[in-house]
Amino acid sequence: MTLTDGRRPGNRGVAADHVSLRRNNLSVVLRHVRDIGPRSRARIAADTGLNKATVSSLVAELVERGLLREGPADSTRALGRPGQLVELDGTGVCGVGAEINVDYLAVAALDLAGNVVLEKRVPLDVAHLDPGTTLDRFAGLVSEAVAAVDARGGQLAGVTLAVPGLVEGETGDLKLAPNLGWGELSVAQEMRARLGEPTYPLHVDNEANLAALAAYAELRRTEDGTDGTGGPVQDLVLLTGAVGVGGGVVAGGHLLRGGRGYSGEVGHMPVAPPGRTCGCGRTGCWETVVGLTALLHKATDRDDPVRDPSLDVEQRLAGITRRAEAGDARTLSALKDVGIWLGIGGAILVNILNPDVLVLGGYFAVLGPWLKEPLEKAIRDRVIAPDGGGCRVIRSDLGFAAAVRGGAQISLDQVFVDPTVIGRTEAGVAQ
């Protein structure tokens, strides 16, 4: 047997195969503990099909890398000496997600176990600033999160930046962000320069995609993990509402990106009557009748404080909520109108995608008490499949933190794919 270049296989090839196999097995064990919870070494071996000696060696290395830690004794074992449980650690490994949106910048740092290290949102009228000024501010916010990770002695797995527009994932180039007025901008390159050409991985993605991943992870973590038929939720659509409207689709447990990575631009479905011009320059886009700007135009006057982009978006929505709760007729009428249009577009998506769950994110979640019912009614009335195709509507608890949480998680996911990206020490602290 010879290799394609004429060389005979030798020790180098065997060693490379061994390294690759061990890396894969480390990933199998780490992901198993993440997904299933604390397990004894013997249980991990039985569950994964790896032999006990191999599992013991793999667990020892993952502990040295600070990714697993020793837990309590296994109290579920009825006979014999109870085994020692191992559980996810990762408190020394963090991922950072950061977001640019129309009227705010946000950042979050999470450790491997999902604990929040830092979370911050800054009101900023991005739509009326030039990209350079915004990216300068954005780089400062990302640096603050990186410093928070450094302060706790952690290792940074990576940074993922979220933007509300069409992103080429491989290059980090923003092709178009209509509500920002940005186009053909290499966000990744610009940010690397501002951050001093960092050594950690830096990626750029669409904010709705990242929000959908965060909502999917949160759903599986906080609910019973089933879709009502006894199986785990595998198909989800997230609708995230702000000035723009975006959608993220999880199909079969995986994010649906489309052929060029541009899927999810549901806000530009041409379902509304011609009227106000959308940020993309067209009329009839769905977001012109369900976006936050549409709601504010219907519910408030031009000089109303809730239109002030210098105020945090949650403060502005709190004002709308108070008026709705007080029975203000104009506010309730605006919410009813938005809810009807939300149902029209939402039913189209359910007819096409048949998700297990339709998740309301962003401002849709905040004002969900008034928007959820008309959306559910539209699904019952307009979806051709019986019982709305089995789709249920829920409100995300992540609010406007969904995209940054999803970005941080994307950065951390690489550790689960290849645990060797995290250094090892005898003390078991990631370096």
Side-chain angles (χ1 to χ4, degrees):
M1 174 184 173
T2 58
L3 300 178
T4 54
D5 62 358
R7 295 178 298 169
R8 295 185 178 276
N11 290 337
R12 181 177 298 178
V14 173
D17 288 344
H18 176 74
V19 169
S20 177
L21 177 62
R22 185 167 181 85
R23 182 185 297 122
N24 178 73
N25 287 341
L26 286 167
S27 172
V28 167
V29 171
L30 185 62
R31 286 186 286 113
H32 187 70
V33 175
R34 176 197 64 184
D35 295 340
I36 306 300
R39 285 290 188 273
S40 67
R41 291 164 175 79
R43 183 69 180 274
I44 293 171
D47 290 347
T48 62
L50 298 169
N51 68 56
K52 292 181 180 179
T54 298
V55 168
S56 292
S57 174
L58 295 169
V59 167
E61 180 172 339
L62 291 168
V63 169
E64 289 176 4
R65 293 183 185 277
L67 301 176
L68 294 180
R69 64 187 173 204
E70 300 286 353
D74 185 1
S75 61
T76 63
R77 184 165 178 173
L79 300 174
R81 183 178 177 181
Q84 190 82 17
L85 296 177
V86 291
E87 58 191 14
L88 193 66
D89 185 1
T91 52
V93 180
C94 297
V96 169
E99 179 187 8
I100 299 174
N101 217 307
V102 176
D103 49 10
Y104 65 84
L105 304 177
V107 69
L110 305 180
D111 69 18
L112 201 67
N115 301 308
V116 176
V117 175
L118 176 143
E119 196 164 72
K120 186 174 183 180
R121 187 174 61 249
V122 179
L124 188 67
D125 190 6
V126 175
H128 293 92
L129 295 175
D130 66 273
T133 301
T134 297
L135 292 177
D136 288 344
R137 295 281 299 273
F138 197 41
L141 198 59
V142 172
S143 296
E144 188 176 337
V146 172
V149 173
D150 290 342
R152 62 185 272 159
Q155 178 170 339
L156 185 60
V159 172
T160 302
L161 310 177
V163 292
L166 303 176
V167 178
E168 276 194 354
E170 291 186 3
T171 64
D173 291 346
L174 175 68
K175 307 306 291 184
L176 178 67
N179 289 312
L180 299 182
W182 295 7
E184 298 297 338
L185 178 66
S186 180
V187 174
Q189 182 178 326
E190 292 284 346
M191 287 295 290
R192 287 192 184 101
R194 286 168 168 79
L195 293 168
E197 300 298 334
T199 56
Y200 53 76
L202 185 146
H203 303 287
V204 182
D205 207 333
N206 173 266
E207 52 93 20
N209 283 341
L210 296 176
L213 289 173
Y216 179 66
E218 187 72 6
L219 178 68
R220 293 174 68 86
R221 181 165 52 244
T222 59
E223 295 198 357
D224 62 5
T226 66
D227 60 4
T229 63
V233 170
Q234 292 291 309
D235 297 272
L236 170 153
V237 173
L238 172 98
L239 296 179
T240 178
V243 172
V245 173
V249 180
V250 175
H254 300 282
L255 185 68
L256 185 65
R257 293 186 177 275
R260 299 281 183 93
Y262 299 153
S263 69
E265 292 297 326
V266 299
H268 301 288
M269 295 191 301
V271 300
R276 192 164 54 85
T277 302
C278 180
C280 71
R282 300 171 178 85
T283 61
C285 292
W286 192 30
E287 72 179 44
T288 65
V289 287
V290 299
L292 181 55
T293 298
L295 174 70
L296 295 178
H297 273 277
K298 293 182 177 76
T300 66
D301 296 326
R302 186 186 300 271
D303 59 351
D304 195 302
V306 299
R307 291 201 191 188
D308 184 356
S310 68
L311 294 177
D312 183 74
V313 64
E314 289 193 346
Q315 289 180 278
R316 298 160 67 193
L317 290 172
I320 294 292
T321 299
R322 286 192 294 270
R323 295 174 196 182
E325 291 174 339
D328 178 72
R330 183 175 177 183
T331 302
L332 292 175
S333 175
L335 287 167
K336 180 180 179 181
D337 192 47
V338 168
I340 290 170
W341 280 109
L342 188 64
I344 291 171
I348 292 172
L349 295 173
V350 173
N351 268 320
I352 295 171
L353 298 167
N354 185 218
D356 300 321
V357 181
L358 185 63
V359 182
L360 297 179
Y363 105 84
F364 296 142
V366 177
L367 299 179
W370 296 274
L371 300 177
K372 185 169 177 279
E373 184 177 340
L375 175 56
E376 290 175 328
K377 183 178 186 304
I379 290 174
R380 291 193 302 269
D381 295 345
R382 294 174 177 268
V383 172
I384 191 170
D387 192 30
C391 178
R392 56 194 175 96
V393 179
I394 66 171
R395 294 160 57 198
S396 171
D397 293 329
L398 297 174
F400 291 93
V404 292
R405 296 278 187 98
Q409 190 59 58
I410 282 283
S411 297
L412 290 167
D413 281 349
Q414 182 55 39
V415 178
F416 291 101
V417 173
D418 179 9
T420 64
V421 298
I422 300 301
R424 61 195 292 182
T425 70
E426 291 184 1
V429 178
Q431 288 191 348

